[in-house]
Amino acid sequence: MEQPLYSKMLTSLTILMMTTTVSAAAELPLLEKQAGALLAWKATLSNQSQQALQSWGNMSAPCHWRGIWCGLIHAVHRPVITGVSLPEMRLRGTLESLDFSSLRTLMTLNLFDNGLAGSIPSSIGLLKELRSLLLQGNQIRGSIPPSLANLRKLNSLMLSENQVSGEISREIGALDNLVNLDLGNNLLVGPIPCEVGHLKHLVMLDIHNNSLSGSIPRNLVDLTKLTTLYLDQNHLSEQIPQELGYLMNLEYLYLSNNILTELAYTTRVTEKCDVYSFGVLAIELFMGHHPGDLLVSMSKKSTLLENLLDTRLPLPEAEIASEVFKVIAVAVRCIEPDPSHRPTMQQAIKAFSATEEPDGHLDYLHTDIAIPACWS
Ligand SMILES: *[C@@H]1O[C@H](CO)[C@@H](O)[C@H](O)[C@H]1NC(C)=O
Ligand SMILES: *[C@@H]1O[C@H](CO)[C@@H](O)[C@H](O)[C@H]1NC(C)=O
Ligand SMILES: *[C@@H]1O[C@H](CO)[C@@H](O)[C@H](O)[C@H]1NC(C)=O
């Protein structure tokens, strides 16, 4: 009874997937529509820019326009626009007036060294085929839209020399095909999210001359392909992670003009280091082994208490489980990669020794424990 049901479900799923793929291809914008979107954008640019784009006009031949590349993508047997490359042309206008929905076949958007102003519209997230987004050397303002995290195929993201502000969002960790990430010479604030350490293919990471603060994430050591790391001219503080010394391919490392110390001699940091070792020890006690491997391999943000307990031991009973839960929940916070997020030793002790009645309705073994982001 069960098996035929499952196989039926799988078959319907396959058919569903096939029809989705085919209809997605059919829905790709027609070349004429794409040409129309580009002409509409041209009309919003300054007069001088429009003159530079004189070849843009014949609606039936956009593939011959200046700076426009066409190609066949997916299973579509008709050309679509795959590249817009107009660097160093003194173009004045904004990206907001470009209809990205019609241009979602783009693989390259190359507009560096122009005079583009305004912000990066959130509709840029529609360019799911994009490999290369080169917008450096313009006058782009505003924050990096969270939708940028949709551009999963992106290799190069260059936004340097603009006036981009706001924080680098944690979602940047989703861009795991990035090879070059250049956000230097902007007005970015806040911490370097440790999710940057997930971008395993990075060769160049340049975020110099912003107003970034907080510590340098220790897990940047996972970026083993890095040859260039520019973090200078920011407000980064605390210690320089010694792990950076393991980056064998690193040729250029700039850290100057920050507030970094080489060793953790300040009281505050020393205290946080103690609490870290303490957290590791506490977790090791219950897990039966060092937490490192397990937590590194864990991509999820949380796990059930049960999964953190030594499998060789019987599971604790309800009352004990509530105690164990309390200890592990605090211990896990002690191993936050960013010391500023760890509790102090005093706070940790206080949390451990607080006497609270366990919640009789709660199944502690099957309650989630939050795992610190990017533990490494
Ligand atoms: C741009 O050109 C149009 C038509 O030639 C003219 O009417 C307009 O004033 C010009 N605008 C600027 C800002 O020069
Ligand atoms: C526009 O392009 C088409 C296709 O390449 C060509 O046949 C036609 O002559 C062009 N029209 C003009 C006015 O250049
Ligand atoms: C730092 O970046 C800002 C913002 O883009 C820029 O105005 C300034 O000239 C840059 N400073 C240096 C020394 O490059």
Side-chain angles (χ1 to χ4, degrees), residues 128-132 149-157 172-181 198-203 225:
K128 299 239 164 76
E129 298 299 325
L130 208 62
R131 287 2 183 225
S132 153
N150 296 339
L151 311 184
R152 297 292 163 88
K153 295 183 181 168
L154 214 53
N155 292 169
S156 290
L157 174 57
I172 199 153
L175 299 178
D176 56 5
N177 284 307
L178 275 186
V179 175
N180 299 300
L181 175 58
H198 294 170
L199 306 175
K200 299 270 154 62
H201 299 292
L202 275 189
V203 169
K225 295 183 182 164

Side-chain angles (χ1 to χ4, degrees), residues 4-126:
L5 178 64
Y6 274 111
S7 73
K8 247 189 212 165
M9 279 161 61
L10 285 172
T11 314
S12 346
L13 193 65
T14 315
I15 293 172
L16 187 71
M17 274 160 43
M18 281 165 59
T19 41
T20 320
T21 322
V22 171
S23 64
E27 277 167 19
L28 282 179
L30 293 169
L31 193 57
E32 293 77 55
K33 183 155 191 246
Q34 299 191 309
L38 288 173
L39 284 184
W41 182 58
K42 177 184 169 184
T44 68
L45 301 178
S46 71
N47 280 354
Q48 197 199 10
S49 315
Q50 296 192 26
Q51 272 159 24
L53 300 177
Q54 250 168 6
S55 65
W56 290 25
N58 186 347
M59 285 285 283
S60 10
C63 304
H64 294 137
W65 295 357
R66 181 169 186 184
I68 302 301
W69 302 342
C70 290
L72 303 167
I73 70 166
H74 294 316
V76 208
H77 297 292
R78 56 181 169 82
V80 285
I81 294 180
T82 54
V84 173
S85 182
L86 302 164
E88 301 172 323
M89 287 183 59
R90 300 189 192 172
L91 299 181
R92 290 190 186 281
T94 70
L95 290 175
E96 283 137 328
S97 42
L98 191 51
D99 172 15
F100 286 114
S101 161
S102 300
L103 295 171
R104 59 187 189 278
T105 52
L106 282 186
M107 297 169 79
T108 306
L109 182 56
N110 180 353
L111 295 170
F112 67 82
D113 291 343
N114 278 295
L116 299 174
S119 59
I120 302 175
S122 126
S123 56
I124 202 154
L126 296 168

Side-chain angles (χ1 to χ4, degrees), residues 322-336:
S322 80
E323 283 294 304
V324 174
F325 180 83
K326 193 167 78 179
V327 171
I328 295 196
V330 178
V332 151
R333 288 182 45 222
C334 296
I335 60 169
E336 274 283 352

Side-chain angles (χ1 to χ4, degrees), residues 50-306:
Q50 296 192 26
Q51 272 159 24
L53 300 177
Q54 250 168 6
S55 65
W56 290 25
N58 186 347
M59 285 285 283
S60 10
C63 304
H64 294 137
W65 295 357
R66 181 169 186 184
I68 302 301
W69 302 342
C70 290
L72 303 167
I73 70 166
H74 294 316
V76 208
H77 297 292
R78 56 181 169 82
V80 285
I81 294 180
T82 54
V84 173
S85 182
L86 302 164
E88 301 172 323
M89 287 183 59
R90 300 189 192 172
L91 299 181
R92 290 190 186 281
T94 70
L95 290 175
E96 283 137 328
S97 42
L98 191 51
D99 172 15
F100 286 114
S101 161
S102 300
L103 295 171
R104 59 187 189 278
T105 52
L106 282 186
M107 297 169 79
T108 306
L109 182 56
N110 180 353
L111 295 170
F112 67 82
D113 291 343
N114 278 295
L116 299 174
S119 59
I120 302 175
S122 126
S123 56
I124 202 154
L126 296 168
L127 306 183
K128 299 239 164 76
E129 298 299 325
L130 208 62
R131 287 2 183 225
S132 153
L133 179 58
L134 312 185
L135 298 175
Q136 68 270 35
N138 281 287
Q139 279 124 48
I140 295 169
R141 294 172 179 276
S143 52
I144 303 173
S147 62
L148 208 69
N150 296 339
L151 311 184
R152 297 292 163 88
K153 295 183 181 168
L154 214 53
N155 292 169
S156 290
L157 174 57
M158 314 286 257
L159 301 178
S160 58
E161 291 174 62
N162 279 291
Q163 282 114 52
V164 178
S165 55
E167 298 201 358
I168 304 175
S169 102
R170 290 183 171 273
E171 273 71 40
I172 199 153
L175 299 178
D176 56 5
N177 284 307
L178 275 186
V179 175
N180 299 300
L181 175 58
D182 188 355
L183 305 175
N185 291 316
N186 276 297
L187 307 170
L188 294 165
V189 295
I192 302 174
C194 55
E195 282 77 3
V196 170
H198 294 170
L199 306 175
K200 299 270 154 62
H201 299 292
L202 275 189
V203 169
M204 196 267 288
L205 174 58
D206 183 351
I207 40 185
H208 89 281
N209 185 26
N210 278 283
S211 296
L212 298 169
S213 54
S215 55
I216 300 176
R218 285 193 322 144
N219 67 346
L220 291 192
V221 70
D222 293 340
L223 305 179
T224 51
K225 295 183 182 164
L226 270 191
T227 64
T228 304
L229 179 57
Y230 294 152
L231 303 177
D232 50 306
Q233 301 177 61
N234 278 294
H235 309 308
L236 298 171
S237 57
E238 304 197 5
Q239 56 184 321
I240 299 172
Q242 290 173 358
E243 291 90 338
L244 289 183
Y246 299 133
L247 292 172
M248 300 310 279
N249 293 313
L250 206 57
E251 290 170 35
Y252 305 98
L253 172 63
Y254 290 141
L255 300 172
S256 62
N257 290 321
N258 278 296
I259 356 170
L260 296 161
T261 51
E262 262 178 61
L263 283 167
Y265 283 143
T266 66
T267 332
R268 203 164 67 85
V269 175
T270 310
E271 190 176 52
K272 298 285 175 93
C273 288
D274 289 346
V275 89
Y276 177 86
S277 326
F278 172 74
V280 171
L281 201 69
I283 298 174
E284 192 167 358
L285 194 65
F286 287 100
M287 286 179 73
H289 54 85
H290 191 276
D293 293 342
L294 179 77
L295 295 186
V296 167
S297 67
M298 215 172 263
S299 54
K300 284 183 295 180
K301 299 239 160 25
S302 64
T303 187
L304 301 180
L305 173 62
E306 191 184 37

